[in-house]
Amino acid sequence: MHRFPHLPHVHDGKVTHMERFRSGKGLSPLTQIEAYWRDLCSGGTVPMRSEVDPRALENALNHTFVLERIAPGVARFRLAGRVVSNLMGMEVRGMPFSSIFVAPAKSNVALHLEKVFSDTAIAKLSLCGQTEPAQPTLDLRMILLPLLSDFGEVNRALGAIVHDGTIGQTPRRLTVRHVSHERFGDIRTKEPVPGFAEPTAAYDTGIPYLRVVK
């Protein structure tokens, strides 16, 4: 991939200096992704899915995923980096977001997830791996950031996850320790962008990737 040092990424009047995010120096993947998302939020508007440029997050892509809301409290993975797939021991693209959590946690997760979409909230989750005999301790952190679709609806989310510890035997489903929310505030929706509308994808077991949006 070619690098373009010091050249900003410009989209819809927003200027994002990609190089400072791309380096990721001194930043955890969660911090880097949140900082990039906030940088896109010019004018108090939640970013559009098509504004997210993978080149700006190349050092954090393994930790990154994109969700699509398909019903209240329900979303599925549109794209997923290696960390989520490693947790499940399989490709998760097209799978429900709830599939990475233990059964007792699913209803609680659905409530927090819906806040991201309906209340335009940033969600930060403290998680741990399900405890099984001989399984190592696994602590995780996750962030969910709302995104607008190209039709101006808050039905996408940019997410990231990091873990401390060994995953062990998979699938390693997760339990929730703590969740905090930060209301982004009232947003201004945008007009659809001709030619950039993203169709709903069917279940796909292909190799995960984050496409570059020109």
Side-chain angles (χ1 to χ4, degrees):
M1 180 179 294
H2 296 290
R3 293 180 179 271
F4 301 94
H6 312 303
L7 291 180
H9 172 226
V10 181
H11 187 103
D12 195 28
K14 297 182 180 182
V15 178
T16 302
H17 291 275
M18 287 168 41
E19 193 64 24
R20 68 188 180 92
F21 293 105
R22 183 185 288 144
S23 67
K25 293 180 179 178
L27 298 177
S28 74
L30 298 191
T31 303
Q32 183 183 359
I33 289 166
E34 182 179 0
Y36 175 69
W37 179 88
R38 289 184 182 275
D39 205 63
L40 291 175
C41 294
S42 65
T45 305
V46 168
M48 301 182 77
R49 164 65 184 88
S50 57
E51 290 177 297
V52 177
D53 191 333
R55 293 173 297 176
L57 299 171
E58 61 183 356
N59 288 305
L61 285 183
N62 283 337
H63 301 268
T64 306
F65 56 88
V66 174
L67 300 177
E68 177 189 15
R69 181 182 185 268
I70 56 177
V74 182
R76 64 176 174 177
F77 289 100
R78 287 296 301 266
L79 305 168
R82 188 171 301 169
V83 172
V84 179
S85 297
N86 287 346
L87 283 168
M88 294 298 291
M90 67 182 76
E91 165 60 60
V92 300
R93 188 180 181 199
M95 292 174 58
F97 177 63
S98 61
S99 64
I100 68 173
F101 295 92
V102 298
K106 291 181 186 291
S107 59
N108 190 29
V109 169
L111 294 175
H112 295 300
L113 179 64
E114 188 57 25
K115 285 183 178 292
V116 175
F117 298 117
S118 296
D119 296 343
T120 321
I122 300 168
K124 297 182 179 181
L125 298 84
S126 174
L127 310 165
C128 62
Q130 183 180 24
T131 302
E132 297 287 352
Q135 282 282 54
T137 300
L138 185 66
D139 298 312
L140 308 96
R141 288 183 299 138
M142 178 187 291
I143 189 168
L144 299 173
L145 303 157
L147 294 173
L148 292 169
S149 73
D150 293 315
F151 296 103
E153 300 172 326
V154 185
N155 60 12
R156 300 289 192 276
L158 176 64
I161 187 169
V162 296
H163 66 84
D164 180 20
T166 303
I167 293 176
Q169 184 177 355
T170 59
R172 191 77 188 272
R173 290 187 169 83
L174 310 177
T175 61
V176 180
R177 286 176 171 165
H178 176 75
V179 182
S180 64
H181 298 279
E182 177 186 342
R183 177 70 184 271
F184 182 78
D186 295 331
I187 65 169
R188 295 181 291 105
T189 58
K190 299 182 179 181
E191 295 298 324
V193 180
F196 281 88
E198 188 179 47
T200 300
Y203 180 84
D204 187 351
T205 58
I207 299 174
Y209 68 98
L210 293 178
R211 64 186 177 90
V212 175
V213 178
K214 297 183 179 179

